[in-house]
Amino acid sequence: MRRKFLGCLLFVSFLATSCDSKRVFDEYKSLPGHWHKDSAVTFTFQGLDTASTYNLFINIRNNNAYKYSNLFLVTKMNFPNGKVIADTLEYEMAYPNGEWMGTGFTDLKENKLWYKENVRFPEIGAYTIKIRHAMRQNGKVEGIEKLQGITEVGFRIEKGNE
């Protein structure tokens, strides 16, 4: 019985990973109940084909404690030679009626957010991307110190459309 269960588990694991043939890098980092405004979530990756193109995504998991319909992010990508590319991004997180965007059946939703399309990584070595939130309350200059409701931040690289 146990051997049969392990065989089924291995088969299901194989199916789950083989259906995701575009995935090159996919990692999540959990947050400790809030996302501090000065805390960047960092991902490091390497070994990408310098001649290929890739699509990049930021994955956000949020729950009902998230009070906003949008999300501002600041990213900094560090190249192996020291070059840095910084972006300020805004994403919609809810529909106008207040319903969460994303996938999931419970109060936890996952959003796969486009970051960059058809990107080449021309240098060999380790690349690092740092992601932090840049949320502010309307009319206030200071950022929200402890952003509630974001439970995990992920970064994903997929093979491009060559």
Side-chain angles (χ1 to χ4, degrees):
M1 179 72 170
R2 183 181 172 133
R3 191 176 281 186
K4 194 177 208 181
F5 174 75
L6 288 175
C8 286
L9 185 62
L10 284 172
F11 180 71
V12 169
S13 297
F14 171 76
L15 284 178
T17 57
S18 64
C19 294
D20 198 2
S21 62
K22 287 190 163 197
R23 179 184 62 204
V24 174
F25 178 88
D26 196 9
E27 187 176 313
Y28 282 84
K29 304 252 173 112
S30 294
L31 299 175
H34 65 273
W35 193 355
H36 193 278
K37 69 177 186 169
D38 297 328
S39 178
V41 180
T42 303
F43 301 94
T44 301
F45 56 93
Q46 59 187 349
L48 300 177
D49 181 356
T50 58
S52 296
T53 62
Y54 299 93
N55 296 323
L56 313 180
F57 300 89
I58 297 170
N59 295 322
I60 299 290
R61 290 183 179 149
N62 68 287
N63 60 29
N64 287 336
Y66 191 70
K67 298 186 223 177
Y68 308 96
S69 63
N70 65 344
L71 176 64
F72 283 94
L73 299 175
V74 174
T75 62
K76 287 187 181 177
M77 184 178 295
N78 297 324
F79 286 63
N81 71 358
K83 175 179 154 184
V84 177
I85 295 177
D87 290 297
T88 301
L89 311 160
E90 180 184 11
Y91 297 102
E92 292 296 318
M93 299 295 286
Y95 295 105
N97 67 1
E99 180 186 345
W100 290 120
M101 293 179 172
T103 59
F105 295 107
T106 64
D107 70 336
L108 184 66
K109 296 295 181 187
E110 180 167 356
N111 288 275
K112 183 179 178 182
L113 309 172
W114 274 97
Y115 172 47
K116 292 188 180 285
E117 186 174 15
N118 292 322
V119 174
R120 290 191 194 278
F121 293 96
E123 301 168 22
I124 296 173
Y127 290 78
T128 301
I129 183 162
K130 296 180 180 186
I131 305 166
R132 64 180 181 80
H133 83 81
M135 293 296 291
R136 288 166 173 52
Q137 290 182 352
N138 283 339
K140 298 204 176 179
V141 176
E142 291 297 314
I144 297 171
E145 187 170 340
K146 293 181 179 180
L147 184 63
Q148 303 293 324
I150 304 294
T151 61
E152 291 180 274
V153 177
F155 184 68
R156 180 178 173 93
I157 302 173
E158 294 181 357
K159 293 176 186 174
N161 303 327
E162 294 182 286

